[in-house]
Amino acid sequence: MIPDTRPSAEPLSKQRLRLWLRFLKAQSSIEAEIRRRLRDQYGSTLPRFDVMSALARFPDGLKMSEISGLLKVSNGNVTGIVDRLTQDGLALRVAVPGDRRAQLVRLTPAGQTAFAELAQAHEAWLDEMLGGLGPNELEALGALLDGVFDHLGEGGN
Amino acid sequence: MIPDTRPSAEPLSKQRLRLWLRFLKAQSSIEAEIRRRLRDQYGSTLPRFDVMSALARFPDGLKMSEISGLLKVSNGNVTGIVDRLTQDGLALRVAVPGDRRAQLVRLTPAGQTAFAELAQAHEAWLDEMLGGLGPNELEALGALLDGVFDHLGEGGN
DNA sequence: CACATCTATTTCAAGCATAAAATTTCTTAC
DNA sequence: GTAAGAAATTTTATGCTTGAAATAGATGTG
């Protein structure tokens, strides 16, 4: 097929803007549905899930600043979320031997159980909501996202 | 090229999950940069920009509930944002003749000027950040997003 | 050891977001 | 016209998020 190289009536910047708006709409409608289900079915939230997810990947515990670094959110933000997880008995803070400033946060056994259940539901929800994407579409979308990242200069992390 | 039709080692649900995480990462790093620039360069925010954008498209004004409907956010949310825009002299509430419950929100002239400037910067930023996407990529990405929407049953609006 | 500096975390003030309750006003059915 | 219900909006309580300031502890240099 011969690519259409005619200058479009609409400038490229407008096309990029419109694509961004569609991108945002897809993202936020999916995310809103996930938040709703976390709330209604599990009495939880996406920020809590994100923190638990990080903690689940590091059974030896994470320092507060490591959590905020992984999730790319502020320190003060993590303080509040971990406070609430701790109140609910899902996480706990343990002292770091050599450093009285820092603490390691870990999932409690109850937290591990709760997270396993949430993670399974989360994966199933996404599988359902992204069901329109088969293997080829997934690969194509992944490649396009790589293009975005390359240009943003954020390949790593 | 012969498509690889072998059953992948990784189940499709996991692939969808991983794609979603990359999708989220792209979206949130771009959005974070936009929020940062709105704040640092214009002393504004994305929610304010979204509301002003809706108001700019309807010069005759919008009722509070119309704004929240367009932006798909709660009523109480809009109350606060419009309050702050009004305090800053960018929007105003005018009475609706036949209905003392409702009010029309409009941009002030200052609000129109401010929005025009923000909108131009916003488009330029996206053009820069999505610069990795040429016409063909834009079209391909648009088509893939359509596939997602179709499956979500959210074609319209 | 003292002092400056750096690091880890929490606290604070402001704004954003929601769902649920409350208020005010309109409409409709009698 | 009055009472019941619906509609438009605000208020409230709670949680998430940020950047900046505060606190406490560690580290390094003289």
Side-chain angles (χ1 to χ4, degrees):
Chain A
M1 186 175 74
I2 301 165
D4 182 354
T5 54
R6 287 174 302 174
S8 168
E10 191 182 43
L12 206 49
S13 70
K14 285 261 187 276
Q15 290 184 48
R16 292 199 176 105
L17 176 55
R18 290 197 308 123
L19 182 85
W20 171 248
L21 296 177
R22 288 166 76 188
F23 196 86
L24 257 192
K25 200 168 99 181
Q27 186 274 337
S28 57
S29 71
I30 291 172
E31 186 172 308
E33 181 63 23
I34 290 174
R35 288 179 190 271
R36 193 166 6 222
R37 293 184 187 187
L38 280 175
R39 201 171 74 86
D40 296 346
Q41 298 179 27
Y42 295 97
S44 191
T45 67
L46 204 43
R48 276 168 158 83
F49 178 72
D50 289 340
V51 168
M52 292 174 82
S53 180
L55 293 177
R57 276 162 45 212
F58 294 89
D60 293 345
L62 287 171
K63 293 195 292 183
M64 297 298 283
S65 51
E66 291 175 327
I67 299 174
S68 57
L70 282 168
L71 303 184
K72 299 194 201 310
V73 299
S74 65
N75 275 343
N77 188 359
V78 175
T79 296
I81 297 171
V82 169
D83 282 351
R84 285 180 286 271
L85 286 176
T86 301
Q87 278 172 14
D88 293 351
L90 302 175
L92 50 82
R93 291 171 160 99
V94 299
V96 174
D99 190 339
R100 275 180 303 174
R101 294 169 304 178
Q103 301 167 85
L104 284 179
V105 184
R106 291 204 192 122
L107 286 181
T108 62
Q112 292 171 27
T113 303
F115 174 71
E117 196 177 354
L118 289 180
Q120 189 180 351
H122 183 252
E123 183 175 329
W125 295 338
L126 281 171
D127 196 40
E128 165 199 343
M129 296 185 214
L130 297 183
L133 302 174
N136 295 338
E137 281 90 355
L138 287 171
E139 183 138 355
L141 203 34
L144 288 168
L145 290 179
D146 280 344
V148 175
F149 278 125
D150 287 350
H151 191 263
L152 284 177
E154 303 208 5
N157 67 69
Chain B
M1 186 176 72
I2 301 165
D4 183 354
T5 54
R6 285 173 305 174
S8 169
E10 193 181 41
L12 204 49
S13 68
K14 285 261 187 277
Q15 289 185 47
R16 293 201 175 104
L17 176 55
R18 288 197 309 123
L19 181 85
W20 170 249
L21 296 177
R22 287 168 76 188
F23 196 86
L24 258 190
K25 198 167 102 181
Q27 187 273 337
S28 58
S29 71
I30 291 173
E31 186 172 307
E33 182 63 24
I34 290 174
R35 287 180 190 271
R36 193 167 359 208
R37 292 185 186 185
L38 280 175
R39 199 172 77 86
D40 295 347
Q41 298 180 25
Y42 295 97
S44 192
T45 68
L46 205 42
R48 274 168 156 87
F49 178 72
D50 289 339
V51 168
M52 293 175 81
S53 180
L55 294 176
R57 277 161 45 209
F58 294 90
D60 293 345
L62 286 172
K63 292 195 293 184
M64 298 298 282
S65 51
E66 291 174 329
I67 299 174
S68 56
L70 283 167
L71 303 184
K72 299 194 200 309
V73 298
S74 66
N75 276 341
N77 189 358
V78 175
T79 295
I81 298 171
V82 169
D83 282 351
R84 285 180 286 270
L85 286 176
T86 300
Q87 279 172 13
D88 293 351
L90 301 176
L92 50 83
R93 289 170 160 100
V94 299
V96 174
D99 191 339
R100 276 180 302 174
R101 293 170 304 182
Q103 300 169 85
L104 283 177
V105 185
R106 290 205 193 119
L107 286 181
T108 63
Q112 292 170 27
T113 304
F115 174 71
E117 197 177 354
L118 289 180
Q120 189 180 352
H122 183 252
E123 183 175 329
W125 294 338
L126 280 171
D127 196 40
E128 165 199 342
M129 295 185 214
L130 298 183
L133 302 175
N136 296 338
E137 281 89 355
L138 287 171
E139 184 140 353
L141 201 34
L144 288 168
L145 290 179
D146 281 343
V148 175
F149 278 124
D150 287 349
H151 191 263
L152 285 177
E154 304 207 4
N157 66 69

